[in-house]
Amino acid sequence: QVQLVESGGGLVQAGGSLRLSCAVSGSIFSINAMGWYRQAPGKQRELVAGITSGGSTNYADSVKGRFTISRDNTKNTVYLQMNSLKPEDTAVYYCNADTIEVVPGIFVHDYWGQGTQVTVSS
């Protein structure tokens, strides 16, 4: 059973920093692209940052220059370093794994973590 478990959310003042982690556990041979999404109250879930298995990254315009996504393939973990946080960054942040190869040649798709709350006070 594959599971994604996020940690690192919390309450922080504007201008502060947080680091989110997402560990993928279970039967895993390899993981393709991973990403962080967020959903604020009354809004649709949106992509914050993504990273391929090779380390290529992409970011939402609203977080470019402030957030950094990274991954440690040896630990099956993806991180989101969030600096210069703003009140508008307040949301539940979700980790996503696009495609997981559980054993060579067998793939499962679109796994999500349970979400972690990030609240930025002004």
Side-chain angles (χ1 to χ4, degrees):
Q1 182 77 9
V2 175
Q3 285 189 315
L4 277 65
V5 179
E6 299 114 333
S7 60
L11 173 64
V12 64
Q13 288 189 329
S17 298
L18 284 173
R19 188 192 195 208
L20 306 183
S21 299
C22 172
V24 185
S25 63
S27 175
I28 300 165
F29 182 71
S30 67
I31 305 172
N32 195 3
M34 298 192 71
W36 286 97
Y37 291 72
R38 67 186 180 187
Q39 187 166 19
K43 295 188 177 181
Q44 289 189 330
R45 190 173 297 188
E46 62 175 356
L47 175 67
V48 175
I51 185 167
T52 68
S53 57
S56 297
T57 60
N58 64 288
Y59 297 93
D61 287 343
S62 59
V63 306
K64 281 181 181 177
R66 299 189 297 123
F67 290 11
T68 302
I69 188 170
S70 61
R71 64 191 286 171
D72 184 338
N73 292 330
T74 66
K75 297 181 179 179
N76 292 324
T77 299
V78 64
Y79 306 97
L80 186 67
Q81 178 66 44
M82 305 185 294
N83 298 328
S84 302
L85 282 161
K86 304 176 181 179
E88 51 263 44
D89 294 318
T90 295
V92 178
Y93 284 70
Y94 297 91
C95 174
N96 173 265
D98 174 55
T99 302
I100 300 172
E101 190 173 17
V102 292
V103 293
I106 303 298
F107 299 87
V108 294
H109 302 280
D110 202 25
Y111 271 74
W112 293 87
Q114 80 286 356
T116 185
Q117 177 70 46
V118 171
T119 303
V120 184
S121 63
S122 57

